[in-house]
Amino acid sequence: MTDTVTNQRPAPTTFQRAVQDVEPFGATPAGLQSAATLRNRRLLVLALNLGTLAALAAGLARLLGLGGWSGVDLAVFIAFLVAAPWSVLGFWNAAIGLWLLHGRRDGLAEAAPFAAAGSRPAPLMLRTAVLLTLRNEDPERAFSRIRAVKDSLDATGEGVWFDYFVLSDTSDPAAAAAEERLAADWAREIGEPARSTYRRRPDNAGFKAGNIRDFCEHWGDRYELMLPLDADSVMAGDAVVALVRIMQAHPRLGILQSLVVGMPSRSAFARIFQFGMRHGMRPYTLGAAWWAGDCGPFWGHNALVRIAPFREHCRLPVLPGGPPLGGAVMSHDQVEAVLMRRAGYEVRVLPVEGGSWEENPPTMLDFAQRDLRWCLGNLQYLRLLGLPGLRPTSRYQLAWAILMFLGLPAWTLMVALLPFKVLEDRALADYPAAFAAGLYGLFLAMQIAPKLAGFADTLLSRGGAARYGGGRLFLASAALEIACGFLQGAATGLRTTLFMVGLAFGRARIGWNGQARDVHALSLATALAGLWPHLLFGLFLFASLAWLSPAVLLWSLPVTAGYLLAIPFALLTALPSAGAWLARRGLCGTPEERAPPPVLAAIGMGERR
């Protein structure tokens, strides 16, 4: 492929803006917000979280100490202090987000003061490389997605500002041959060799981050921005152009993350999961953006990245030691975000739905495999907390990413100790059952608060429920998702716990390979092989609690049923017929399923009659 630029393409942009090497006094690097405003918001959120956690801990301490403190009591209390902060922050992020959405006239502007720049009809002046990273994926699926993105960008009239790169780390010879053939076909279709590039590395050095680093070093000087896409992600052209306009208006924005939602799916598991994720993410992300501000998230795809500072300042370190925590960083995205912020550039998220999608794993076992890779990657942050020069909020974000997974074994430990606690408390007279039930119910509600806030947002928005088929269908979908969410949460928590125990003893390994994308049934043997520990754990809990206190067993079902039902839940939600049944009834669907945008219709996503 040639590097020639045809006469029809714009010359490299001369867009320049004076940018101070030091941050504007009293403001964030892009001058979008007062540093004092963000500091006050962060102090408020810290106070709300610490106050809530202290109140919950005091209530739990009252219950645990009724008969004097035992070893079980102490273990439960410590586990609670590890597990609870994630739920408490989720509650307050969601509450703030819902308040911004419906209690403030300018809520979006408060959380994302740059958002308006995306809607201004300014001509583009920055060249952008659209990157599709692959490793042993279905080549036909991957090329159909990047082709759809290109067609959507061309439809905006701004397509000449974008070039396309398929960056392969594929090791499967058959898949590699198919990629090369499809890349050649697509280059002929475009008719401009410089606009499409296919490259395959001989190895997977550095995983996805190494793949993108290789692009930056070989082609990065030709472009101001890059848009990384995963093999399962798609963006609409108008959404991409809006992000470019924002980056163009604010040269000190280093990373601008879009709010990614799930595509329509034939998988029952994916439909249910992404219905909850979509509603949980919207208020949560808006609330987090309100206080995180310039130290925002980066999820590694469906985001615009300014190449020059990324190439210069965001090189990932190779962690000392061997596996599992040593070597290349697997969860690269948030590390790159904190390094970008350290370099004096802002990292922001645009917390608005629209034009940014991804596919989710089609079965619970596929989801768990992806989740364990994220778990290992986040645990590697333990060796990065001491990186010099990080912002306090950035360092906190790394610690929080670790705690997200450490909280799962802590929660599992609390559940495992429940029968022993019931046994200890049976002799207590006048046990405050109502207080215990209230504290338990409050904490469960806080755990699902982001989803509840998202459901409330949809119901409060004009025409919101209609986009999902009407109020009754929406509420039925929400109820189904909450029930399934508890089942999945229990199964995920135990699987992560077992994985982390294996890591501690050097017996767990996770690779980086292609993921299952299409709906497929699970065999009973496969489900048993992956979930038999859940069955044994569930039998232990149900048998012991049924003997000790049937009432406690009944109350515990939201957090214990998922262990006993893990195998049938995984089998049922993997059935293609179950997904088809949900789709026919419109349960847990997405607005894009009913009215697919052109970019999704081009890849066959949308309502199937």
Side-chain angles (χ1 to χ4, degrees):
M1 273 160 277
T2 178
D3 296 335
T4 303
V5 178
T6 69
N7 293 331
Q8 297 176 355
R9 293 171 44 75
T13 178
T14 57
F15 174 76
Q16 297 290 338
R17 183 174 293 190
V19 177
Q20 300 296 323
D21 289 333
V22 295
E23 297 178 14
F25 180 76
T28 59
L32 290 167
Q33 286 175 304
S34 160
T37 296
L38 280 179
R39 182 180 64 249
N40 291 337
R41 291 179 183 179
R42 291 165 181 168
L43 290 174
L44 173 62
V45 170
L46 178 63
L48 290 171
N49 277 266
L50 290 179
T52 304
L53 184 61
L56 291 171
L60 181 62
R62 174 190 168 190
L63 289 175
L64 295 174
L66 287 174
W69 284 79
S70 67
V72 171
D73 294 323
L74 184 60
V76 170
F77 189 71
I78 293 174
F80 175 81
L81 293 180
V82 175
W86 183 263
S87 297
V88 172
L89 180 63
F91 167 78
W92 281 115
N93 278 349
I96 292 169
L98 191 61
W99 168 68
L100 291 170
L101 286 165
H102 297 282
R104 301 283 292 179
R105 180 175 299 179
D106 55 351
L108 177 61
E110 288 189 27
F114 53 87
S119 60
R120 296 172 190 150
L124 296 196
M125 303 172 69
L126 300 182
R127 294 180 61 190
T128 301
V130 180
L131 316 180
L132 179 65
T133 54
L134 298 177
R135 178 166 169 80
N136 297 327
E137 301 281 355
D138 178 354
E140 293 279 357
R141 175 193 292 265
F143 276 88
S144 71
R145 277 153 175 71
I146 195 168
R147 178 182 285 106
V149 173
K150 177 188 178 299
D151 291 344
S152 186
L153 280 166
D154 288 345
T156 67
E158 302 285 1
V160 293
W161 291 97
F162 298 87
D163 290 342
Y164 302 88
F165 290 78
V166 177
L167 306 174
S168 173
D169 276 359
T170 292
S171 59
D172 182 297
E179 288 173 3
E180 292 174 2
R181 174 178 54 80
L182 290 169
D185 291 344
W186 192 37
R188 285 191 295 270
E189 177 185 321
I190 293 175
E192 298 179 59
R195 296 201 64 188
S196 66
T197 301
Y198 169 81
R199 184 272 289 133
R200 185 166 74 94
R201 294 197 302 169
D203 56 34
N204 191 30
F207 307 119
K208 177 184 170 184
N211 197 355
I212 292 178
R213 168 64 52 180
D214 180 82
F215 160 81
C216 290
E217 293 178 350
H218 285 87
W219 294 279
D221 57 351
R222 305 180 191 177
Y223 304 93
E224 286 82 6
L225 306 174
M226 61 180 174
L227 173 67
L229 297 173
D230 282 352
D232 63 353
S233 62
V234 169
M235 290 192 71
D238 55 354
V240 176
V241 169
L243 294 181
V244 173
R245 285 177 175 146
I246 293 171
M247 295 288 278
Q248 186 169 282
H250 301 289
R252 276 291 184 178
L253 277 181
I255 298 175
L256 181 56
Q257 176 68 60
S258 68
L259 182 60
V260 190
V261 300
M263 292 185 204
S265 177
R266 297 181 182 181
S267 158
F269 177 84
R271 289 177 70 89
I272 297 168
F273 169 77
Q274 64 195 30
F275 185 84
M277 183 189 72
R278 181 175 194 141
H279 294 283
M281 285 287 288
R282 189 171 57 249
Y284 179 99
T285 305
L286 184 63
W290 181 79
W291 63 266
D294 55 319
C295 295
F298 178 40
W299 301 323
H301 60 93
N302 293 44
L304 279 180
V305 180
R306 203 172 297 274
I307 294 176
F310 183 88
R311 182 177 54 194
E312 184 175 352
H313 301 289
C314 298
R315 182 181 296 274
L316 298 178
V318 176
L319 301 178
L325 297 183
V329 177
M330 298 189 74
S331 292
H332 60 94
D333 35 28
Q334 194 55 44
V335 182
E336 291 162 344
V338 302
L339 294 176
M340 181 69 81
R341 185 62 192 88
R342 184 177 71 174
Y345 289 81
E346 296 190 21
V347 178
R348 296 272 185 171
V349 59
L350 182 61
V352 179
E353 281 186 9
S356 184
W357 301 275
E358 67 177 351
E359 288 183 287
N360 287 291
T363 74
M364 190 169 76
L365 293 183
D366 292 315
F367 172 86
Q369 188 68 16
R370 186 185 71 172
D371 210 45
L372 294 181
R373 193 187 75 214
W374 289 351
C375 172
L376 175 57
N378 283 24
L379 291 178
Q380 288 180 305
Y381 295 172
L382 287 165
R383 298 187 173 181
L384 296 171
L385 290 173
L387 282 174
L390 296 186
R391 302 276 166 164
T393 301
S394 297
R395 209 176 297 278
Y396 161 83
Q397 286 169 324
L398 292 180
W400 206 250
I402 298 168
L403 192 61
M404 176 174 68
F405 286 100
L406 288 181
L408 294 177
W411 179 254
T412 303
L413 176 62
M414 284 192 287
V415 175
L417 292 175
L418 179 59
F420 302 97
K421 184 58 185 168
V422 171
L423 184 62
E424 287 184 350
D425 290 349
R426 282 200 304 177
L428 292 176
D430 300 323
Y431 185 81
F435 178 78
L439 185 64
Y440 169 70
L442 175 62
F443 189 66
L444 286 186
M446 295 185 75
Q447 280 192 307
I448 62 172
K451 297 177 186 178
L452 296 178
F455 297 151
D457 172 40
T458 297
L459 294 172
L460 291 171
S461 300
R462 179 176 298 178
R467 300 173 64 222
Y468 293 86
R472 290 184 179 180
L473 186 59
F474 179 77
L475 289 174
S477 299
L480 175 63
E481 193 287 326
I482 289 174
C484 291
F486 277 121
L487 295 179
Q488 180 199 331
T492 299
L494 181 58
R495 190 173 179 92
T496 303
T497 300
L498 296 174
F499 174 74
M500 293 177 70
V501 171
L503 284 179
F505 289 94
R507 299 181 60 184
R509 294 288 186 273
I510 288 291
W512 192 299
N513 218 320
Q515 302 177 43
R517 311 287 185 189
D518 294 319
V519 59
H520 61 275
L522 293 175
S523 68
L524 178 60
T526 300
L528 276 170
L531 299 169
W532 65 265
H534 300 70
L535 178 60
L536 293 183
F537 189 53
L539 289 173
F540 157 72
L541 289 172
F542 272 64
S544 57
L545 290 176
W547 173 56
L548 293 168
S549 175
V552 171
L553 173 60
L554 183 64
W555 279 97
S556 76
L557 288 179
V559 296
T560 58
Y563 304 118
L564 193 64
L565 299 178
I567 291 174
F569 178 69
L571 290 172
L572 177 61
T573 54
L575 286 174
S577 58
W581 188 87
L582 291 176
R584 284 196 301 271
R585 285 154 181 79
L587 286 167
C588 295
T590 65
E592 295 85 1
E593 186 174 53
R594 295 179 171 275
V599 68
L600 293 187
I603 58 174
M605 294 288 179
E607 192 167 44
R608 298 173 175 88
R609 301 185 183 278

